[in-house]
Amino acid sequence: QSVLTQPPSVSAAPGQKVTISCSGSSSNIGDNYVSWYQQLPGKAPKLLIFDNNKRPSGIPDRFSGSKSDTSATLGITGLQTGDEADYYCGTWDSSLSVGVFGGGTTLTVL
Amino acid sequence: EVQLLESGGGLVQPGGSLRLSCTASGVTFLSFAMTWVRQAPGKGLEWVSGISGRGGAIYYAESVRGRFTVSRDNSKNTLYLQMNNLRAEDMAVYYCVKINSKNLPDDNHYYMDVWGKGTTVTVSS
């Protein structure tokens, strides 16, 4: 069981928008910034969003992040087939003193 | 460009040991904390261990505490993971990952900004 909770899968049509939720607790999301990672099939994960809503250089603004209390959300607009991947949220848990991830969400672009 | 290259994976019997290495380039190594993350076949990401820039702070997941030891040699830009008493459930791809700062976390900021390609650990008799 992952410390952070994500839906196992989401899907939408090309060009549409999708959101992926990530739920935690006061000791992790409630106390620390959230990051998001994209893992394309057969590849290593890549940083997509950091500090709740910041994008690293090279990440298009179709990707956005937000956080409220003990939950975070990843948004993807203008969906492309190349966005099909697994998406993970992550943060630090201040009580456990460990890094934590969500279980991952598989995005299918229909 | 920062690059991380893992090595040391392979086939090991249950109860055996293995040492993973990760060599970093393009970065002032001691200025950044490092982490090991693993992914079992068909499963999600699992955080394994983290070490601060100068090695003064070390953390482990409950699933590996007492069996795994993380260390680093900043003079060689290298991160290590000594894995003892390996179990079937340790079988995974192990990723070496750079953290955004020298601390774990740093004023509540914590993210993994550079990932290696991973090395595969197979535990089987």
Side-chain angles (χ1 to χ4, degrees):
Chain A
Q1 293 283 37
S2 301
V3 173
L4 307 180
T5 301
Q6 297 179 233
S9 63
V10 295
S11 62
Q16 297 299 303
K17 172 183 176 178
V18 71
T19 60
I20 298 173
S21 61
C22 175
S23 178
S25 68
S26 57
S27 65
N28 41 66
I29 293 179
D31 198 37
N32 296 286
Y33 290 86
V34 175
S35 50
W36 290 89
Y37 305 89
Q38 178 193 59
Q39 186 175 32
L40 296 168
K43 301 293 187 182
K46 178 179 77 170
L47 178 65
L48 200 61
I49 297 287
F50 68 97
D51 286 356
N52 300 337
N53 55 19
K54 297 181 172 62
R55 286 174 287 105
S57 173
I59 301 299
D61 59 7
R62 300 188 297 108
F63 296 90
S64 64
S66 64
K67 174 185 144 176
S68 178
D69 294 329
T70 59
S71 293
T73 301
L74 173 70
I76 311 173
T77 60
L79 280 170
Q80 303 172 1
T81 55
D83 297 330
E84 289 198 327
D86 292 326
Y87 293 84
Y88 296 89
C89 57
T91 187
W92 184 260
D93 192 295
S94 302
S95 292
L96 300 174
S97 292
V98 296
V100 290
F101 289 105
T105 300
T106 298
L107 168 64
T108 301
V109 180
L110 302 169
Chain B
E1 180 191 5
V2 179
Q3 291 191 329
L4 302 173
L5 183 62
E6 304 96 336
S7 61
L11 173 63
V12 62
Q13 293 185 340
S17 297
L18 214 53
R19 188 175 85 154
L20 305 183
S21 300
C22 169
T23 302
S25 59
V27 63
T28 304
F29 190 62
L30 62 82
S31 294
F32 297 97
M34 299 293 293
T35 285
W36 289 99
V37 173
R38 70 184 180 184
Q39 187 170 33
K43 302 296 185 182
L45 302 177
E46 181 186 10
W47 187 92
V48 173
S49 180
I51 183 169
S52 60
R54 293 191 179 274
I58 289 176
Y59 305 95
Y60 297 101
E62 186 62 37
S63 57
V64 306
R65 191 172 294 129
R67 300 187 300 122
F68 289 13
T69 302
V70 65
S71 61
R72 61 191 298 161
D73 185 337
N74 287 339
S75 69
K76 296 181 179 179
N77 280 15
T78 301
L79 173 73
Y80 302 100
L81 185 67
Q82 177 67 43
M83 304 185 295
N84 297 331
N85 191 18
L86 281 160
R87 306 167 179 167
E89 54 265 35
D90 296 318
M91 186 161 64
V93 174
Y94 283 73
Y95 294 103
C96 167
V97 191
K98 172 184 165 292
I99 301 301
N100 58 290
S101 79
K102 64 181 184 297
N103 298 319
L104 290 163
D106 192 349
D107 194 22
N108 306 111
H109 296 264
Y110 175 83
Y111 57 90
M112 305 174 180
D113 57 1
V114 181
W115 295 66
K117 287 182 166 46
T119 186
T120 300
V121 172
T122 302
V123 183
S124 175
S125 54

